[in-house]
Each structure stands twice: as structure tokens, then as C-alpha cells.
Amino acid sequence: MDSPGNDKGKDSLTRLHTVTLTNGVDSSKEGETSPFCSKEQAKQSIDGPIVSAFKQAKLEKEAQKNWDLFYKRNSTNFFKDRHWTTREFEELRACREFDDQKLTILEAGCGVGNCLFPLLEEDLNIFAYACDFSPRAIDYVKQNSLYDTSKCKAFCCDLTQDDLLEHVPAASIDVVTLIFVLSAVHPDKMHLVLQNVYKVLKPGKCVLFRDYGLNDHAMLRFKAGNRLGENFYVRQDGTRAYFFTDVFLAQLFQAAGFEEVVNEYVLRETVNKKEGLCVPRVFLQSKFRKPPRTP
């Protein structure tokens, strides 16, 4: 079973390209599939039994504990550092009004800092707020030799209920990153995360999003009994994953007051020559803007 956010596997060859599906893939249309998925695979993932309401309530209640245990088991060794972030998101450079302008960013769901620290190393003119659901993950961030309170502030936060304004000034953030974060939140609570980050983002500035897309290989690998709902699954360790369509994501952000700038599928074929496997990966990479102030 695919592990949380593990989109950088040990593969001998990776081919990456980005496409825009102009008609979208509406999560309510069960017959529609991504370009990498057969109808048989999609039907199998849709038709599986749903986990009982009792177990789902338990998973929701224990969500923080399950992520804390994940980081206890894996320490800082599970995820690879995401040095691709600035390459994939030119907004991190392009949003500057002048070359040496200092940016203030929020990495929502920072984990142990696999995106945070490469960013701080590559761009010395960034101050970063970084938060995560897991207290253990935040401890690892603060123990990192690169952690410097003059460059970043890390804090524990449940984005579905804790107010970001307790840690971050209102309308002070130039860029928010949501990278493999929203998929771990129950779909009924995703809007709360977006409403929270909206408050701290400057008018006219953007949220940069990357996460699992519908019919990604990780979704198709789930066994019977792991389905929590439409496009929503639980892993063996109790952590959960939602698989997005562009239509659903756009509706989610727009309902929270954002404007769509870019909302594209990223399709990757990962080939393991040694094992003779070709694994399709489907992600959504998007940018949504908080509307600028009207004169």
C-alpha cells in the first residue's frame, strides 16, 4: 500500500508531463477515469465496501495520534527532501515585486521539514511559518540543524479547528503551500482548512497546492475494506488519503473565496526496470488566489 505523500519512490526511470483536462473529472461521475486508469480498475476502487461508521468515527478521533505514531516509527527518514518545489512552483520566485524582496510563506502541514528546509536553503530571502498536526513532527523540525528562529517559526496546529491567527498575523503571508496535506483531512472538514489559511494570506496572493489525483496508483492499490467514502481511503496505519478531481478541488477553493489560477493534472509514469513494473501516478498541481482588494 502506498505510504503518505510518498511520490518520490526508488525508481530507475521517471517520465513526467502535465496536462489540463478541460472537461474536468467530476468526483460524482463514477464512469469517468483518469488517462492512466482502466474502467475496470476504476470500478473496482469505487465499488468496494465502506468502513463502518463506528470505525470511521474512531479514525477521525485518533487522527492526530495516528500521524504522531507514523512519525515515531519513521522519524525523519521516510520522505525525501522536496528539492523540486521551486522548480514546479515558479510562483515562489515570480511573486516578488523586486529581486531582493523578502517573502513570508506558510507551509501548512510541514511534516518534518522535507519541503521547508530545501526552500530555506535555496532562497535566503524567505521567512517561513510552518505548522503540522503532529507534535512529534514539529519536534523533529525544531531539532533539525537548519532550524533558525530568525528564518522560520514552527508550531503545532490542527488546521480544521485551531485558529492560525494565534501564530500568524492576519493578511501577512505572501505564499501558502499545501503539499500532500489536504488529502489527509476528512472531506467534510477540508473547507475549514481553506478558510483558516485565507485569513492569513495577503489579498492578491496564492495558495500553491499539490496532492493525489483520482485514480492515482496509490488509490488503485487499496484492498477491500479500506474505503471510507467516495475517493477516500484508510491505510493500514490508520492515516487516511483522499484522491482529488480538478472539479472538486476548484469547487472547494472557490467556496472558500479563492479564485482559480491554475488547476492541472500532473501525470507521471514511474518505471522500475528491475521488476518490470510501470506505475501510473496522478497528482493535481494547482494555484488559487485570494482576490485582491478592490480600490
Side-chain angles (χ1 to χ4, degrees), residues 8 10 22 37 46 74 89 95 124 126 146 160 183 196 200 204 236 239 250 258 263:
K8 295 293 223 181
K10 298 175 181 178
T22 55
C37 178
I46 289 168
N74 295 288
F89 289 116
C95 67
L124 299 179
I126 283 181
L146 295 174
T160 67
S183 57
N196 214 348
V200 300
Q236 291 178 353
T239 62
F258 290 91
N263 191 22

Short mmCIF file of all heavy atoms in Angstrom, two decimals, residues 8 10 22 37 46 74 89 95 124 126 146 160 183 196 200 204 236 239 250 258 263:
data_model
loop_
_atom_site.label_atom_id
_atom_site.label_comp_id
_atom_site.label_asym_id
_atom_site.label_seq_id
_atom_site.Cartn_x
_atom_site.Cartn_y
_atom_site.Cartn_z
N LYS A 8 8.02 10.05 -4.36
CA LYS A 8 9.39 10.06 -4.83
C LYS A 8 10.03 8.70 -4.58
O LYS A 8 11.03 8.57 -3.89
CB LYS A 8 10.19 11.15 -4.09
CG LYS A 8 9.70 12.56 -4.40
CD LYS A 8 9.97 12.91 -5.83
CE LYS A 8 10.50 14.29 -5.94
NZ LYS A 8 10.76 14.69 -7.29
N LYS A 10 11.85 4.85 -5.11
CA LYS A 10 13.17 4.47 -5.59
C LYS A 10 13.01 3.79 -6.94
O LYS A 10 13.08 2.57 -7.08
CB LYS A 10 13.84 3.54 -4.59
CG LYS A 10 14.06 4.20 -3.22
CD LYS A 10 14.62 3.22 -2.24
CE LYS A 10 14.82 3.84 -0.86
NZ LYS A 10 15.33 2.88 0.13
N THR A 22 -9.65 19.59 -19.81
CA THR A 22 -10.52 20.76 -19.93
C THR A 22 -11.93 20.49 -19.45
O THR A 22 -12.61 21.38 -18.97
CB THR A 22 -10.57 21.24 -21.39
OG1 THR A 22 -10.96 20.14 -22.22
CG2 THR A 22 -9.21 21.72 -21.83
N CYS A 37 -6.03 5.13 -16.03
CA CYS A 37 -6.81 4.13 -15.33
C CYS A 37 -7.82 3.47 -16.26
O CYS A 37 -8.54 4.14 -16.97
CB CYS A 37 -7.52 4.78 -14.14
SG CYS A 37 -8.55 3.65 -13.21
N ILE A 46 -14.24 2.01 -6.84
CA ILE A 46 -15.48 2.67 -6.46
C ILE A 46 -16.43 1.72 -5.74
O ILE A 46 -17.14 2.10 -4.82
CB ILE A 46 -16.16 3.25 -7.72
CG1 ILE A 46 -15.36 4.45 -8.22
CG2 ILE A 46 -17.60 3.68 -7.44
CD1 ILE A 46 -15.78 4.92 -9.59
N ASN A 74 8.85 6.33 11.78
CA ASN A 74 9.68 6.67 10.62
C ASN A 74 10.70 7.78 10.87
O ASN A 74 11.56 8.01 10.02
CB ASN A 74 8.78 7.07 9.45
CG ASN A 74 7.93 5.92 8.96
OD1 ASN A 74 8.41 4.98 8.35
ND2 ASN A 74 6.64 5.97 9.29
N PHE A 89 6.93 25.14 -8.77
CA PHE A 89 6.14 26.31 -8.42
C PHE A 89 6.96 27.59 -8.59
O PHE A 89 7.57 28.09 -7.64
CB PHE A 89 5.65 26.22 -6.97
CG PHE A 89 4.60 25.17 -6.73
CD1 PHE A 89 4.86 24.09 -5.92
CD2 PHE A 89 3.35 25.28 -7.32
CE1 PHE A 89 3.88 23.13 -5.69
CE2 PHE A 89 2.37 24.33 -7.10
CZ PHE A 89 2.64 23.25 -6.28
N CYS A 95 6.42 35.80 -7.50
CA CYS A 95 5.52 36.70 -6.77
C CYS A 95 6.27 37.90 -6.16
O CYS A 95 5.64 38.80 -5.62
CB CYS A 95 4.78 35.94 -5.68
SG CYS A 95 5.82 35.36 -4.35
N LEU A 124 17.43 32.59 0.43
CA LEU A 124 17.78 33.20 1.71
C LEU A 124 16.85 34.34 2.09
O LEU A 124 16.88 34.80 3.24
CB LEU A 124 19.23 33.71 1.66
CG LEU A 124 20.30 32.65 1.39
CD1 LEU A 124 21.68 33.29 1.35
CD2 LEU A 124 20.26 31.54 2.45
N ILE A 126 13.59 34.33 2.48
CA ILE A 126 12.30 33.78 2.89
C ILE A 126 12.24 33.68 4.41
O ILE A 126 13.20 33.23 5.05
CB ILE A 126 12.07 32.38 2.27
CG1 ILE A 126 11.67 32.51 0.80
CG2 ILE A 126 10.99 31.61 3.02
CD1 ILE A 126 11.41 31.17 0.12
N LEU A 146 19.22 22.90 10.66
CA LEU A 146 18.94 24.07 9.81
C LEU A 146 17.85 24.97 10.40
O LEU A 146 17.59 26.05 9.87
CB LEU A 146 18.50 23.61 8.41
CG LEU A 146 19.56 22.87 7.58
CD1 LEU A 146 18.95 22.35 6.29
CD2 LEU A 146 20.74 23.78 7.28
N THR A 160 -8.08 22.33 11.05
CA THR A 160 -9.54 22.25 10.98
C THR A 160 -10.21 22.89 12.19
O THR A 160 -11.44 23.10 12.16
CB THR A 160 -10.02 20.79 10.87
OG1 THR A 160 -9.72 20.09 12.09
CG2 THR A 160 -9.37 20.08 9.70
N SER A 183 -5.23 16.04 1.45
CA SER A 183 -5.71 14.67 1.25
C SER A 183 -5.83 13.89 2.56
O SER A 183 -6.56 12.90 2.63
CB SER A 183 -4.79 13.90 0.30
OG SER A 183 -3.45 13.89 0.79
N ASN A 196 -9.19 28.86 7.09
CA ASN A 196 -8.14 29.23 8.03
C ASN A 196 -6.97 29.92 7.33
O ASN A 196 -6.51 30.99 7.75
CB ASN A 196 -7.66 27.97 8.76
CG ASN A 196 -7.26 28.23 10.20
OD1 ASN A 196 -7.12 29.37 10.64
ND2 ASN A 196 -7.05 27.16 10.94
N VAL A 200 -4.89 34.45 6.78
CA VAL A 200 -3.50 34.92 6.95
C VAL A 200 -2.85 35.30 5.63
O VAL A 200 -1.77 35.90 5.61
CB VAL A 200 -2.64 33.87 7.70
CG1 VAL A 200 -3.21 33.60 9.08
CG2 VAL A 200 -2.51 32.58 6.90
N GLY A 204 -4.62 39.12 -3.08
CA GLY A 204 -3.89 39.02 -4.33
C GLY A 204 -2.81 37.95 -4.35
O GLY A 204 -2.19 37.73 -5.39
N GLN A 236 -3.21 1.08 6.35
CA GLN A 236 -3.12 0.11 7.44
C GLN A 236 -2.71 0.76 8.75
O GLN A 236 -3.04 0.26 9.83
CB GLN A 236 -2.13 -1.00 7.06
CG GLN A 236 -2.63 -1.90 5.95
CD GLN A 236 -1.63 -2.96 5.55
OE1 GLN A 236 -0.49 -2.96 6.01
NE2 GLN A 236 -2.05 -3.87 4.70
N THR A 239 -3.72 6.24 9.00
CA THR A 239 -3.73 7.53 8.30
C THR A 239 -4.61 7.40 7.06
O THR A 239 -4.81 6.31 6.52
CB THR A 239 -2.32 7.99 7.90
OG1 THR A 239 -1.74 7.03 7.00
CG2 THR A 239 -1.43 8.12 9.14
N ALA A 250 -11.53 22.68 -7.37
CA ALA A 250 -11.91 24.05 -7.73
C ALA A 250 -13.13 24.51 -6.95
O ALA A 250 -13.17 25.64 -6.44
CB ALA A 250 -12.17 24.14 -9.23
N PHE A 258 -11.62 31.77 -2.85
CA PHE A 258 -10.44 31.86 -3.72
C PHE A 258 -10.84 31.89 -5.19
O PHE A 258 -11.92 31.44 -5.58
CB PHE A 258 -9.52 30.66 -3.49
CG PHE A 258 -8.82 30.65 -2.17
CD1 PHE A 258 -9.40 30.02 -1.07
CD2 PHE A 258 -7.60 31.27 -2.00
CE1 PHE A 258 -8.75 30.00 0.16
CE2 PHE A 258 -6.94 31.25 -0.78
CZ PHE A 258 -7.52 30.62 0.30
N ASN A 263 -5.10 24.83 -12.45
CA ASN A 263 -5.62 23.62 -11.81
C ASN A 263 -5.42 22.47 -12.79
O ASN A 263 -6.27 22.22 -13.63
CB ASN A 263 -7.10 23.82 -11.45
CG ASN A 263 -7.64 22.73 -10.55
OD1 ASN A 263 -6.89 22.05 -9.85
ND2 ASN A 263 -8.95 22.54 -10.57
#
